[in-house]
Amino acid sequence: MNLRLSDFDYHLPPQLIAQHPSQKRDESRLMLLDRRNGSIGHHRFRELPQLLAGDDLLVLNDSKVIPARLFADRPGGTRRIEILLLREVEKDVWEALLRPGRRVRQGTRLTIAAGKLEAEVMPSDSRLRRRLRFFYRGDFKNLLSQYGQMPLPPYIERGEGGLAADSERYQTVYAAREGSVAAPTAGLHFTPALLQSLRHVFITLHVGYGTFRPIESQDVPAHEMEAEIFEVEAEAARAVREQRRRGGRVVAVGSTSTRVLEHLARDKGEVKEAAGETALFIYPGFRWQVCDALITNFHLPRSTLLVLVSAFAGLDLIKRCYEEAVRHRYRFYSYGDAMLIL
């Protein structure tokens, strides 16, 4: 299949990019797409239990976002440097994105929180991702929780101060295992009460740079995802296997849960207890083995996330859904509305 990057483009009025979450999590809108007949319906997320079958099994990602956004000063510098931590590669050494970063040279010492934290720019083999060695007194995790901010995507305009509400709303209500630098946003719509009314299990994938790294190749299948860490415990794996064996639907909540489930099916033949990394890139033509339904947000043009949902529902049908979403003034991206694809 010849897939060009331009196939995954669409027009989005900037005012439809959600800058804030809905007032209540489950008040967000929910587009229902039925792949069997191409029908589209419009609902609220709180109606999810009525739109699913009683024996459907939801699989959710319980990774917790770390406050990975820091602001630093450099000696003699007039501009603040924004740091987005990506992953710890060794003790006190982190891979990070710097903005603006081109003029920040190797050996530069960055000062954070009036000297509570310092970071030295180390050699790196990437022009975008840099390596920082941190120096501090005390516990790094505690310092990060005090002085770091939620790593909101750049299209959400906050400025350096941020909003205190983001620390709660850019986190799912069931987040339990620290490690992500972006939220698994399909899960942001759930409330504890809504979750309690649905059969569900948790798995973990720590969202890293690979999920949101732009596709640079015009030939979409040539794109390579970066590995992200996952873990599936025995109880969750067993529930998914039993659901499949008795013909029940597995509903993946978000692209992260989707990729873990399908990775295990390809790697081990079925969903089993496992911990490791996945770099699975799902694009149209993919042979699905586990996921029967998908809950997802509305994604950026030309993104791996849009490519994944197009693989699940079909590119032409997804294009029609997105056109419908624009006409009906749905809210897009991380703090936006959701889709249920059956």
Side-chain angles (χ1 to χ4, degrees), residues 194-251:
L194 183 59
L195 196 60
Q196 190 174 12
S197 69
L198 298 162
R199 294 182 64 230
H200 64 276
V201 295
F202 296 113
I203 62 176
T204 305
L205 181 136
H206 294 310
V207 184
Y209 186 54
T211 291
F212 55 88
R213 182 169 67 91
I215 300 175
E216 297 179 350
S217 170
Q218 290 300 313
D219 178 25
V220 170
H223 176 75
E224 294 184 2
M225 294 287 288
E226 295 188 16
E228 293 168 307
I229 297 170
F230 75 87
E231 182 175 358
V232 177
E233 294 186 345
E235 184 177 351
R238 183 166 50 252
V240 172
R241 289 198 306 272
E242 291 176 356
Q243 182 78 349
R244 297 291 295 163
R245 286 169 183 163
R246 63 185 183 82
R249 286 193 306 200
V250 174
V251 182

Side-chain angles (χ1 to χ4, degrees), residues 37-83:
N37 56 24
S39 65
I40 297 173
H42 304 285
H43 303 270
R44 292 288 173 179
F45 202 86
R46 62 176 175 267
E47 300 173 55
L48 186 62
Q50 289 76 53
L51 301 175
L52 294 172
D55 65 344
D56 285 343
L57 178 69
L58 275 65
V59 182
L60 305 103
N61 179 9
D62 66 359
S63 182
K64 189 172 185 178
V65 185
I66 63 172
R69 188 186 189 211
L70 297 164
F71 289 88
D73 297 302
R74 57 180 178 177
T78 57
R79 296 188 66 180
R80 296 269 276 173
I81 303 296
E82 182 179 344
I83 300 170

Side-chain angles (χ1 to χ4, degrees), residues 8-41:
F8 301 92
D9 213 347
Y10 66 91
H11 171 68
L12 179 67
Q15 61 268 28
L16 296 185
I17 300 174
Q19 296 297 311
H20 302 274
S22 57
Q23 188 171 8
K24 295 182 179 179
R25 290 178 184 267
D26 61 357
E27 283 183 351
S28 55
R29 297 171 72 185
L30 179 66
M31 177 181 284
L32 173 63
L33 169 62
D34 191 325
R35 294 178 293 167
R36 296 167 297 182
N37 56 24
S39 65
I40 297 173

